[in-house]
Amino acid sequence: MNHQLKIFNSLTGEKEVFVPLHANHVGMYVCGPTVYSNVHLGNVRTFMSFDFVYRALKFLGYKVRYVRNITDAGHLTDDGDVNNDRFVKQSRLEKLEPMEIVQKYTVDFHKVLEIFNLLPPTIEPTATGHILEQIQLTEKLLKDGFAYESNGSVYFDVLEYNRRGLNYGELSRRNIEELFANTRDLDGQGEKRNPQDFALWKKASPAHIMRWASPWGDGFPGWHLECTVMSTKYLGNQFDIHGGGMDLKFPHHECEIAQGKAGHGESPVRYWMHANMLTMNGQRMSKSTGNYILPMQLVSGNNTFFEKPFAPAVVRFCFMQAHYRSVLDISNEAMLAAERGFARLMEAMKTINELTPTSNTPTALTTMIENWKDKCYDALLDDFNSPMLIAHLFEAVKWIFQVKNDEEKISAAELKELQTLMNAFVFDVLGLQSEEQTNNYNDKLDGVLQLLINMREEARANKDWTLSDKIRNELLTIGIQLKDGKEGTSYNVI
């Protein structure tokens, strides 16, 4: 690499030259899903943004350990009320055990990300798999005076943290003294000493199913604690990159910094990266307003917002046309435009692999390709600028069709270089898939579904209604609906 990678660091508010802790190695942690419901399209945009970062880092020559967690316990909407545990609330709604909810929506999460061609992380730990470590860190914070026990729960003492000059609020640029002043009337109410204190461990009510034994009684970990524990366990007390959605900056990531500094004596993350939000038709997506769509509804066309279904690769191309730090708005018109641009790019990718050299000697394209290559690399090195990279790719698309139409000459070496680079940027870095690749995936999926349909038919013939219903219901939970008719059983993606 002739140039240096620069990353916008949310902690400093500036683009900084990226210097990893260990040469040519990157430790990256991204906050994963809370698996109490279907992953929504805004989440997909965030995970896709960091999939692009992961791909780009590998392309640039780094060895990356990418950790993305699964939150399957302890996600409270309010530290003061254990009844706001999202897993417990959803289990009551669906009349399922909490861990059934976890399994159902973890499967959905993986399925959706696979459809959009996201690479799996290197490590995918779960909160429930690290209860012991979370208890141990809580014990250390208590011992060192950064936390206190109250009625079987343990809270992080933000005021004490600030008394020691450690600056809670540094990431979100919030003045904690003003926050304390504005909420002083609430001091002393409830279990917490101060409203800004956050739960490390919560006492479980008698009816609370998700509970573990601890030195403070049965309970469950606070939401913020898991990420501190899992990130540092697999990446070290300080690591290179921490990513997540903009909505997690406060309080989640702010609390992670505090836990890391108090627990390990150093700031845990060198470069904080935050992906911006996804809007639809110019408005924030929200279930309450009805301006809301699930990823599979966009792909299947089963919605009232878009005139047709859009292939996952088209959705990915649309998302990559916006920088990860920019708000991305999707609409019917935006998706149609993305579909046209994607089709043009895929036509060029098919064409370039069918071209033959038209010159025995180097042409003007030699210098043009070399300059173009530098510009593509510069786009990646400039805080992972995917829209700029795509703009440069369409410069090469123009050359490809000029060569095809005998308007430009190309040598064997030039053609090989252009083929290699275009395939790398389009498929490896941007993670796009051609129609042939998508069809191959769909053919395999169809084969698996037909196998399950045949198994169900055999079960029904043997009057094994339990197995028959299980196959139908399990497929329905991942968005595939079976329809029985006179001509046999078909399926729809819902």
Side-chain angles (χ1 to χ4, degrees):
M1 291 179 289
N2 297 324
H3 307 285
Q4 294 176 304
L5 171 62
K6 291 185 178 180
I7 294 177
F8 183 88
N9 189 348
S10 298
L11 188 62
T12 62
E14 297 178 352
K15 282 185 189 177
E16 299 178 3
V17 173
F18 177 65
V19 181
L21 278 167
H22 307 287
N24 300 321
H25 288 71
V26 177
M28 181 170 77
Y29 184 89
V30 173
C31 290
T34 303
V35 285
Y36 69 95
S37 65
N38 298 106
V39 60
H40 63 72
L41 202 58
N43 293 143
V44 171
R45 195 238 169 151
T46 296
F47 297 129
M48 192 181 294
S49 294
F50 288 103
D51 179 70
F52 173 63
V53 170
Y54 179 37
R55 288 169 176 272
L57 286 169
K58 294 205 301 179
F59 177 75
L60 293 170
Y62 293 102
K63 182 177 176 58
V64 186
R65 176 176 288 179
Y66 174 21
V67 182
R68 187 186 66 212
N69 71 301
I70 296 285
T71 296
D72 58 351
H75 194 140
L76 289 177
T77 55
D78 179 355
D79 275 348
D81 185 359
V82 294
N83 292 317
N84 281 330
D85 186 309
R86 294 182 176 186
F87 299 99
V88 173
K89 292 174 79 170
Q90 194 65 24
S91 69
R92 289 171 181 164
L93 284 173
E94 298 195 35
K95 295 182 171 56
L96 295 171
E97 291 290 328
M99 292 311 291
E100 287 183 287
I101 293 294
V102 165
Q103 179 66 14
K104 174 181 177 179
Y105 292 114
T106 300
V107 169
D108 171 75
F109 171 71
H110 288 143
K111 169 177 170 282
V112 170
L113 264 56
E114 183 179 358
I115 286 171
F116 290 103
N117 198 32
L118 273 71
L119 298 174
T122 317
I123 303 172
E124 192 174 52
T126 64
T128 55
H130 296 77
I131 297 295
L132 177 61
E133 293 94 331
Q134 292 178 80
I135 290 174
Q136 289 172 340
L137 180 55
T138 301
E139 288 179 315
K140 185 177 190 306
L141 292 171
L142 276 167
K143 179 183 176 183
D144 293 343
F146 286 105
Y148 57 90
E149 181 185 356
S150 177
N151 192 31
S153 295
V154 181
Y155 295 95
F156 188 94
D157 192 333
V158 171
L159 189 57
E160 176 61 26
Y161 179 83
N162 262 36
R163 282 197 190 104
R164 302 192 195 187
L166 294 173
N167 191 20
Y168 183 85
E170 61 184 301
L171 178 64
S172 56
R173 292 169 179 73
R174 299 189 181 214
N175 187 320
I176 196 65
E177 301 304 329
E178 288 181 6
L179 289 178
F180 275 114
N182 292 336
T183 56
R184 63 184 180 275
D185 292 337
L186 297 175
D187 288 354
Q189 294 185 16
E191 297 177 346
K192 296 194 285 187
R193 293 176 183 172
N194 299 290
Q196 284 72 32
D197 296 347
F198 56 89
L200 299 170
W201 187 265
K202 285 294 293 183
K203 178 182 178 181
S205 66
H208 206 280
I209 299 172
M210 299 184 84
R211 57 199 299 138
W212 291 266
S214 81
W216 319 285
D218 284 0
F220 54 95
W223 171 34
H224 314 302
L225 190 63
E226 59 166 305
C227 285
T228 293
V229 162
M230 290 187 281
S231 61
T232 56
K233 176 171 182 173
Y234 297 109
L235 298 174
N237 290 344
Q238 188 178 68
F239 54 95
D240 297 304
I241 297 172
H242 193 315
M246 195 76 74
D247 57 316
L248 298 180
K249 185 183 289 188
F250 186 90
H252 186 51
H253 291 160
E254 199 76 72
C255 294
E256 282 190 62
I257 292 175
Q259 290 167 162
K261 279 181 156 183
H264 304 301
E266 58 186 329
S267 190
V269 180
R270 292 162 60 85
Y271 303 87
W272 283 93
M273 297 178 67
H274 290 95
N276 217 322
M277 70 170 62
L278 179 72
T279 60
M280 185 166 65
N281 296 318
Q283 298 180 348
R284 184 170 183 170
M285 282 200 283
S286 168
K287 285 185 179 179
S288 60
T289 63
N291 192 54
Y292 183 81
I293 186 173
L294 288 171
M296 295 310 297
Q297 291 174 324
L298 181 58
V299 170
S300 68
N302 184 23
N303 65 84
T304 58
F305 296 102
F306 298 88
E307 67 180 63
K308 57 179 297 232
F310 291 96
V314 171
V315 177
R316 183 169 183 124
F317 179 73
C318 179
F319 285 11
M320 290 291 103
Q321 286 182 301
H323 191 270
Y324 76 89
R325 286 193 291 112
S326 301
V327 174
L328 169 62
D329 185 65
I330 60 168
S331 63
N332 190 65
E333 293 72 22
M335 289 305 304
L336 289 172
E339 188 175 55
R340 290 191 295 270
F342 176 76
R344 177 72 169 169
L345 182 59
M346 289 302 106
E347 184 184 358
M349 296 308 297
K350 182 179 179 181
T351 300
I352 194 174
N353 291 318
E354 296 171 348
L355 291 178
T356 55
T358 56
S359 174
N360 295 323
T361 57
T363 73
L365 279 178
T366 293
T367 301
M368 293 166 65
I369 290 172
E370 195 59 35
N371 291 337
W372 169 83
K373 175 183 175 181
D374 286 344
K375 289 193 294 183
C376 290
Y377 270 92
D378 286 343
L380 290 179
L381 294 168
D382 184 17
D383 194 29
F384 309 102
N385 196 327
S386 59
M388 186 59 69
L389 173 61
I390 290 173
H392 295 322
L393 293 181
F394 276 92
E395 293 178 40
V397 167
K398 180 180 69 175
W399 301 337
I400 291 166
F401 287 113
Q402 285 176 337
V403 172
K404 178 187 177 184
N405 298 327
D406 293 325
E407 298 168 3
E408 191 75 64
K409 299 295 182 183
I410 193 167
S411 68
E414 292 162 351
L415 179 58
K416 183 178 180 181
E417 175 79 344
L418 193 57
Q419 286 173 332
T420 300
L421 290 169
M422 284 294 286
N423 278 286
F425 288 129
V426 172
F427 299 126
D428 297 338
V429 180
L430 288 173
L432 301 175
Q433 289 180 301
S434 66
E435 187 176 349
E436 289 79 7
Q437 291 170 312
T438 303
N439 287 340
N440 184 46
Y441 173 82
N442 290 338
D443 289 344
K444 290 181 179 179
L445 177 62
D446 184 70
V448 172
L449 288 171
Q450 289 301 328
L451 177 63
L452 289 170
I453 288 171
N454 292 339
M455 289 174 62
R456 180 169 173 266
E457 288 298 321
E458 185 176 337
R460 295 174 75 186
N462 294 331
K463 296 187 175 359
D464 187 350
W465 309 118
T466 300
L467 178 57
S468 170
D469 290 346
K470 181 177 177 61
I471 292 172
R472 181 195 63 208
N473 294 336
E474 289 295 322
L475 286 174
L476 190 59
T477 63
I478 60 171
I480 297 171
Q481 183 181 51
L482 297 184
K483 290 189 175 183
D484 297 318
K486 293 179 180 179
E487 298 180 0
T489 302
S490 60
Y491 68 86
N492 284 329
V493 178
I494 58 175

